[in-house]
Amino acid sequence: DDHSPPPQAPAPTLEDLKKELELSRRQAIAVAVGAPLASFGYYAYRFTHPTTPTAILQTLTVSSPPFPSALSSGRPTVVEFWAPWCSSCRRKAGSLAS
């Protein structure tokens, strides 16, 4: 029944600490340079590829089933966009149905 403390790792040398500090410094510089570059790249992409309401509707038109004949009835038609996770959408669903 040996109750001796577990062996401790040797204390880092000054050279080990310098290497660790240099690695941390390089990582910090990489993040400081990389983050603005990535941000600018994302902004440039979004600027050249904007998401417009028209593009969203075109995507919905392509990926959705055809609208019912209500659109060709000659009467005004309300199109409500909602999602099941949207609490205010669920509240409005009853009044839209009536």
Side-chain angles (χ1 to χ4, degrees):
D1 205 4
D2 187 13
H3 293 290
S4 60
Q8 294 182 354
T13 64
L14 184 58
E15 191 62 34
D16 291 338
L17 292 173
K18 285 182 180 180
K19 286 180 184 177
E20 189 175 329
L21 183 62
E22 180 62 26
L23 179 62
S24 295
R25 184 177 154 273
R26 287 178 189 228
Q27 289 173 341
I29 290 172
V31 169
V33 171
L37 288 175
S39 178
F40 177 76
Y42 178 74
Y43 174 77
Y45 176 80
R46 296 307 307 162
F47 185 76
T48 58
H49 299 84
T51 302
T52 62
T54 305
I56 293 170
L57 288 174
Q58 286 173 342
T59 302
L60 287 172
T61 302
V62 171
S63 64
S64 299
F67 283 113
S69 60
L71 293 178
S72 61
S73 69
R75 297 176 56 206
T77 303
V78 175
V79 178
E80 176 72 16
F81 295 96
W82 70 281
W85 48 261
C86 174
S87 60
S88 65
C89 297
R90 288 196 312 260
R91 282 194 303 272
K92 292 178 190 175
S95 64
L96 282 174
S98 61

